[in-house]
Amino acid sequence: MKKLLFILCIAYSFIAAGQTPATDFLGTKTLYKMPSIKYTPAPAGYVPVFINHVGRHSARHLTKEVNTSYTYSLLAKADSAHVLTPKGQKLWQMVMALDKVEKGNVKSISIEGQNELKAIGERMYAHYGNVFKGAINLNVGITKEVRTKQSADAFLSGLKKNFKTNADIKQYTDDTNLRFYDFSPVYKQFEEEGEWLKYYQAMDKAEHIAQINDALCEQFFKADFLKTLDMNAREKLVNDVFGFATIVFSLKDEVKQAGFQPADVAFISLFNPAQIKSLSKLDLADDYYKKGPGINNNGIQVRIAAPLLANFIKTADGFIKGDNTNAQLRFAHAETISPIAALMGITTANKATTTLNIGAFWQASQVIPLSSNIQWIFYKKPNSNNYLVKVLLNEKESHIAGMKDSGFPYYNWDELRKLYINKLQQLHVSLDDDMPAYLKNLK
């Protein structure tokens, strides 16, 4: 209810400015929504026995202090020089308010984020409680970023709520499998100068982003000062402000605690709906081309996730061979979830296109919202060695490209494993490979 009230207050601020509130511009900062679906019953006699999971960190604060941003410095300078327009002064007040909200909180998950992941953990237990009968052993992988540790703790607080016995939890840092994008020189080069850039630039041109930047800056600064701002400066400012506009939806409790009202940080009210639509399309393109299937779902931006797919298979094999782990849980980033979802062939996340109509094929808000997750739920009959697997993306039953749908959503594990092993072999990867070396030498 608090979340709804906050969003309604932001929307009211938007409407008060004579505009229509957008609902889909948040992209990767979309708040996680509990799926309102009924799960397909498992075949007779099958019960859940093991969970293999990877999730993104939850709703969060900014990753850098507001007062270190380009926009903060520029607005402070313009304010001192008395060259801000009334709308520019309004923006400056919002930026200073957000600076107070974020002081000391950057890089951490928000209260909203804690609640998101706690609820996902609670639902995991509610739906798959049989996995956690008897002795409970959990492996929990995180990355070097504190928000993944905080996300793991929030998730576990919900999962453990109804445990009948204490859990043995082994937590470890696993940047190789969860931050694989940091370890490939070729991927770094791809980010800077890959073929995707020409499609991104085409989107930029088609959506008239330069003109939007000009129009917004004209509203914030007086004419003489505006002349001193080149195209790059205007782009930096608009990027910052749009980022502020999207982050505040994750901070409803912190805004209140800092003594502000939603309208005090309603950056979205500074944009008109057409501007939001265009800026969100460009934001979508950036995520799609660099993290998602992009123009080629066999591109490096997808292949780079091979170590994590191998890790999913190896941990599943370990459980089947008799280790005592009930669930393998991992907490990472949007840059982790998007490529692994595409590599796994989840059909809502693996569509490539060379057209600019990206939204018809892939939506960041559906694939990698805050707290996004992939779960493999393993089922078996007592006294049987046959395993079925249900694959979930954001807790929704998912189709896997290359698999027959006759038993959907329950896939035979041997068949699914074969599909993934073949995929890894095509990428020249084996389960026994040195994954840091693979990433270093990836072409």
Side-chain angles (χ1 to χ4, degrees), residues 25-79:
F25 72 97
L26 291 173
T28 62
K29 296 190 186 107
T30 299
L31 299 179
Y32 191 85
K33 298 176 183 177
M34 180 182 72
S36 56
I37 57 173
K38 291 184 178 180
Y39 288 127
T40 306
Y46 282 87
V47 294
V49 292
F50 174 67
I51 297 174
N52 219 335
H53 165 280
V54 63
R56 183 189 176 194
H57 63 76
S58 61
R60 61 164 173 81
H61 293 269
L62 291 167
T63 55
K64 294 180 181 178
E65 294 283 1
V66 175
N67 61 16
T68 66
S69 69
Y70 173 80
T71 292
Y72 186 97
S73 299
L74 180 64
L75 292 174
K77 176 182 176 181
D79 182 58

Side-chain angles (χ1 to χ4, degrees), residues 85-99:
T85 65
K87 196 164 186 177
Q89 291 170 351
K90 181 179 180 182
L91 170 61
W92 178 223
Q93 292 299 316
M94 288 184 183
V95 169
M96 288 192 291
L98 184 60
D99 182 52

Side-chain angles (χ1 to χ4, degrees), residues 23-33 56 116 246 250 364-366 368-371:
T23 58
D24 58 355
F25 72 97
L26 291 173
T28 62
K29 296 190 186 107
T30 299
L31 299 179
Y32 191 85
K33 298 176 183 177
R56 183 189 176 194
E116 281 180 354
T246 58
S250 295
S365 60
Q366 300 300 314
I368 45 173
L370 295 157
S371 295

Side-chain angles (χ1 to χ4, degrees), residues 135-433:
I136 302 173
N137 297 277
L138 307 176
N139 288 338
V140 180
I142 60 174
T143 78
K144 64 181 180 180
E145 297 293 346
V146 66
R147 58 187 174 274
T148 63
K149 162 66 173 169
Q150 294 169 340
S151 293
D153 291 345
F155 181 94
L156 290 169
S157 71
L159 178 64
K160 296 188 301 179
K161 185 176 177 181
N162 293 307
F163 280 3
K164 307 305 181 187
T165 61
N166 290 331
D168 182 7
I169 301 174
K170 297 181 177 66
Q171 189 169 105
Y172 61 96
T173 300
D174 185 10
D175 282 341
T176 297
N177 289 315
L178 298 179
R179 290 182 64 90
F180 39 77
Y181 46 88
D182 274 346
F183 297 95
S184 168
V186 174
Y187 178 71
K188 294 295 184 184
Q189 184 179 6
F190 164 82
E191 283 188 302
E192 295 175 2
E193 55 187 46
E195 187 182 4
W196 68 272
L197 269 170
K198 69 179 183 182
Y199 295 93
Y200 179 84
Q201 291 163 355
M203 180 72 81
D204 184 287
K205 184 176 180 180
E207 294 301 321
H208 309 290
I209 300 300
Q211 291 92 323
I212 290 174
N213 295 341
D214 289 343
L216 287 166
C217 288
E218 286 171 5
Q219 296 180 66
F220 299 143
F221 303 103
K222 293 181 180 178
D224 287 345
F225 186 79
L226 185 65
K227 292 176 184 177
T228 69
L229 300 181
D230 62 18
M231 180 177 64
N232 290 334
R234 298 177 189 207
E235 181 181 14
K236 285 180 182 178
L237 180 132
V238 173
N239 285 345
D240 278 350
V241 177
F242 192 68
F244 297 157
T246 58
I247 201 69
V248 295
F249 286 82
S250 295
L251 308 177
K252 67 180 191 304
D253 291 292
E254 288 83 355
V255 168
K256 183 178 179 181
Q257 289 176 356
F260 296 107
Q261 297 297 319
D264 295 327
V265 289
F267 292 92
I268 197 62
S269 66
L270 302 172
F271 301 85
N272 67 45
Q275 291 167 343
I276 291 173
K277 184 176 181 180
S278 291
L279 290 169
S280 65
K281 281 186 176 182
L282 192 65
D283 199 38
L284 178 69
D286 186 71
D287 290 319
Y288 180 70
Y289 292 131
K290 292 194 295 189
K291 303 183 186 78
I295 60 173
N296 176 8
N297 61 9
N298 286 315
I300 190 170
Q301 81 287 355
V302 174
R303 292 186 283 116
I304 200 171
L308 181 53
L309 179 57
N311 185 257
F312 258 76
I313 296 170
K314 287 192 290 185
T315 49
D317 287 348
F319 167 76
I320 290 171
K321 290 176 181 177
D323 77 23
N324 60 357
T325 302
N326 305 75
Q328 173 67 54
L329 308 172
R330 308 168 184 83
F331 297 87
H333 307 273
E335 295 88 345
T336 312
I337 303 301
S338 182
I340 192 61
L343 186 61
M344 286 180 180
I346 295 175
T347 56
T348 54
N350 75 332
K351 302 293 191 304
T353 182
T354 56
T355 75
L356 296 185
N357 189 22
I358 296 170
F361 299 88
W362 190 90
Q363 285 287 347
S365 60
Q366 300 300 314
V367 179
I368 45 173
L370 295 157
S371 295
S372 52
N373 55 85
I374 296 170
Q375 300 176 26
W376 290 4
I377 315 297
F378 283 74
Y379 292 75
K380 72 183 291 286
K381 288 182 178 180
N383 304 316
S384 167
N385 291 321
N386 184 49
Y387 289 86
L388 301 179
V389 182
K390 178 171 68 172
V391 179
L392 305 177
L393 173 62
N394 300 328
E395 301 179 85
K396 297 176 182 176
E397 296 171 345
S398 298
H399 293 266
I400 302 299
M403 291 295 292
K404 296 178 181 178
D405 277 346
S406 56
F408 177 82
Y410 297 94
Y411 294 114
N412 179 278
W413 167 239
D414 289 339
E415 294 176 4
L416 185 61
R417 186 183 188 279
K418 182 179 179 180
L419 175 76
Y420 287 148
I421 290 293
N422 287 341
K423 183 168 289 192
L424 289 176
Q425 288 175 345
Q426 291 169 11
L427 301 179
H428 308 290
V429 179
S430 78
L431 299 185
D432 297 324
D433 279 352

